[in-house]
């Protein structure tokens, strides 16, 4: 058994195509990729909203002015 | 070079490796910038010098004996003696180790491996900043750069290495043979060296020592990414015929191969490099809650985790392997820091060592049963072969020698800088000399001006 479909390299490379593991699972892998991508956006959006909400009340006025003056 | 095709192939291969070497130089530039960016102002010049001098020291010793080890040690000492035939051609007094029109490959091939040696030493250098003596680090640089990593390369990164033959060890882009060993080595040194003053509070909780210049650090890591392209290309044989490989492959189709002479393509590794970088960055951003330092380093850790199998993985597999690896590595770093009070100043043990180990183990499952070599009789890739390989890389050839040598250095009092110097900063004397020189030349200029 070999996950890439070849147990040895006694082959003519002219007749070899894909050699990645788990051939036939491309659609499943694509679904996982999309879940990872969309999930990343979801978590990032949520966290950034929380962060910005908390950031509204951080710092006293003099420190904020100093920060603005620092450019 | 008989025949035009042979001549073209030889010159192309010669030029190919030469270009990879130039690219890989950027890894060292990146490491220098990263280390200096991460260190405090009072330690800049020493931090920089500590890393720069790795270049000549490892180069000279790699010329003297490192390259010979690679060719002489594939079976030595467990499965045979030294391979004198191959080794002798790579001794410093061999004619092929010089300007020689009968051999156009040795120099560029030697240099490609040498740049890996610098990288291995530079990884260790980052973990120990601001408190190790340069003299001690430079001994470690020679040991990791010209002895231990190249022994592991002979065993597990050589088409005839015993780990490949008997364990089916597969590590196409050096998760283990560069990163796990260098991370393990760095861990061995910092276990003995101890943390920087102030790193841990009285109650044992770790303090963050932020980089003095995050921009320098950012450019540094991007240069490392850039150099990594060269590193990946250098791990391949760009074009070779089945006849020259001499293994089981039939037909006449030429191919690119990995270091084991098994087929892959530049296209494959380009897909996988970028997808593993992306998986690493995205996972690191989430797990570190957007911390810049860890997000950038996570990109690198992602590539390193996927590197063992990036010659064969599907791009999505490379991305997912990288993401999983980064989550493990990040959590392991902070667990080890809290539990054992270890100060890994730039996260080198985690980003290189843990990522390398995790990547090897994962690749054992994902590539289970794949041929490790185009030659007959070699073991195929298995989870246990990769796990044993990871232990050899990280612990046996990395952690153990570093720990022993560091203990000896500590006993001799030559490992760590004095406490007073650490507090004042390693550049204290140079800063004073600089200020004095500045004051003197300003006074001199003023005096000349007053005369006119």
């Amino acid at each position: 058994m070999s996950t890439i479909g070849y147990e040895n390299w006694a082959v003519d490379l002219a007749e070899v195509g894909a050699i990645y593991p788990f051939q036939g699972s491309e659609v499943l892998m694509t679904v996982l990729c999309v879940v990872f991508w969309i999930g990343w956006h979801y978590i990032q959006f949520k966290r950034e909203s929380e962060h910005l909400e908390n950031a509204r009340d951080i710092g006293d006025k003099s420190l904020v002015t100093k920060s603005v003056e620092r450019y | 070079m008989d025949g035009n095709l042979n001549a073209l192939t030889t010159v192309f291969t010669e030029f190919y490796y030469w270009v990879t070497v130039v690219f890989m130089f950027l890894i060292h530039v990146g490491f220098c910038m990263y280390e200096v960016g991460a260190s405090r102002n009072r330690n800049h010049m020493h931090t920089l010098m500590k890393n720069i001098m790795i270049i000549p020291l490892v180069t000279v010793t790699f010329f003297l004996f490192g390259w010979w080890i690679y060719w002489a040690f594939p079976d030595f000492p467990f499965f045979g003696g030294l391979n004198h035939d191959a080794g002798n051609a790579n001794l410093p007094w061999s004619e092929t180790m010089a300007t020689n029109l009968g051999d156009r490959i040795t120099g560029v091939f030697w240099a490609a491996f040498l740049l890996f040696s610098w990288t291995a030493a530079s990884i260790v250098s980052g973990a120990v900043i601001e408190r190790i003596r340069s003299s001690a680090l430079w001994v470690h640089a020679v040991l990791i750069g010209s002895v231990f990593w190249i022994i592991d390369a002979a065993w597990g990164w050589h088409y005839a290495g015993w780990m490949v033959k008997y364990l089916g060890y597969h590590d196409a882009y050096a998760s283990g043979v560069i990163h796990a060993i260098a991370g393990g080595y760095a861990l061995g040194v910092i276990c003995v060296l101890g943390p920087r003053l102030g790193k841990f509070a009285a109650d044992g909780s770790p303090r963050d020592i932020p980089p003095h210049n995050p921009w320098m650090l950012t450019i540094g890591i991007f240069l490392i990414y850039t150099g990594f392209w060269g590193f990946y290309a250098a791990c391949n044989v760009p074009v070779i015929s089945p006849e020259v490989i001499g293994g089981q492959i039939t037909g006449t189709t030429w191919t690119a191969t990995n270091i084991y002479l098994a087929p892959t393509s530049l296209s494959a590794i380009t897909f996988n490099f970028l997808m593993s970088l992306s998986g690493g960055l995205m996972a690191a951003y989430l797990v570190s809650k957007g911390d810049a330092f860890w997000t950038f380093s996570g990109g690198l850790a992602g590539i390193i985790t996927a590197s063992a199998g990036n010659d064969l993985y599907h791009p999505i597999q490379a991305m997912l392997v990288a993401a999983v690896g980064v989550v493990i590595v990040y959590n392991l770093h902070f667990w080890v820091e809290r539990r054992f009070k270890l100060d890994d100043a730039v996260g080198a043990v985690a980003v290189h060592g843990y990522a390398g180990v995790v990547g090897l183990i994962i690749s054992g499952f994902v590539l289970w049963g794949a041929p490790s070599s185009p030659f007959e009789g070699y073991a195929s890739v298995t989870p246990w072969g990769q796990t044993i390989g990871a232990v050899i890389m990280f612990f046996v050839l990395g952690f153990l020698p570093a720990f022993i040598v560091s203990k000896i250095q500590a006993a001799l009092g030559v490992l760590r800088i004095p406490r007073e110097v650490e507090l004042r900063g390693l550049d204290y004397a140079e800063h004073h000399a600089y200020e004095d020189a500045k004051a003197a030349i300003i006074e001199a200029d003023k005096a000349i001006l007053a005369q006119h």
Side-chain angles (χ1 to χ4, degrees), chain B residues 45-122:
Chain B
M45 284 314 295
H46 271 79
T47 302
L48 183 58
M49 197 60 81
K50 175 171 64 63
N51 202 327
I52 292 288
M53 291 310 292
I54 285 173
I55 293 176
L57 290 166
V58 174
T59 301
V60 169
T61 50
F62 199 73
F63 186 83
L64 289 174
F65 50 80
W67 192 228
W68 170 80
I69 289 174
Y70 181 67
W71 292 103
F73 272 54
D75 285 323
F76 183 79
F78 308 114
F79 294 93
L82 294 167
N83 186 337
H84 290 295
D85 286 343
N88 288 350
N90 296 284
L91 283 165
W93 50 82
S94 163
E95 283 186 358
T96 49
M97 288 291 284
T99 314
N100 188 328
L101 295 186
D103 178 347
R104 293 162 189 268
I105 292 296
T106 297
V108 285
F109 206 38
W110 168 80
F113 273 69
L114 169 66
L115 270 285
F116 299 165
S117 304
W118 295 0
T119 297
S122 207

Side-chain angles (χ1 to χ4, degrees), chain A residues 1-4 6-14 19-22 26 29-30 32-33 36-37 40 43-44 47, chain B residues 248-251 253 255 262-263 282 285-286 289 312-314 316-317 319-320 323 366-371 373-374:
Chain A
M1 182 213 77
S2 165
T3 56
I4 69 165
Y6 294 92
E7 292 181 358
N8 59 60
W9 287 118
V11 292
D12 182 345
L13 294 180
I19 54 170
Y20 51 81
F22 309 116
E26 292 81 359
M29 288 194 281
T30 306
L32 288 174
C33 188
F36 180 63
W37 164 51
W40 190 91
I43 296 169
Q44 198 274 335
R47 281 198 187 152
Chain B
Q248 293 179 293
I249 302 171
T250 60
T253 303
T255 182
M282 288 168 76
Y285 183 93
L286 289 188
K289 300 192 166 57
L312 292 170
Y313 287 158
H314 185 282
I316 296 174
Q317 292 165 351
M319 182 198 76
L320 294 173
V366 182
L367 300 177
W368 202 335
S373 163

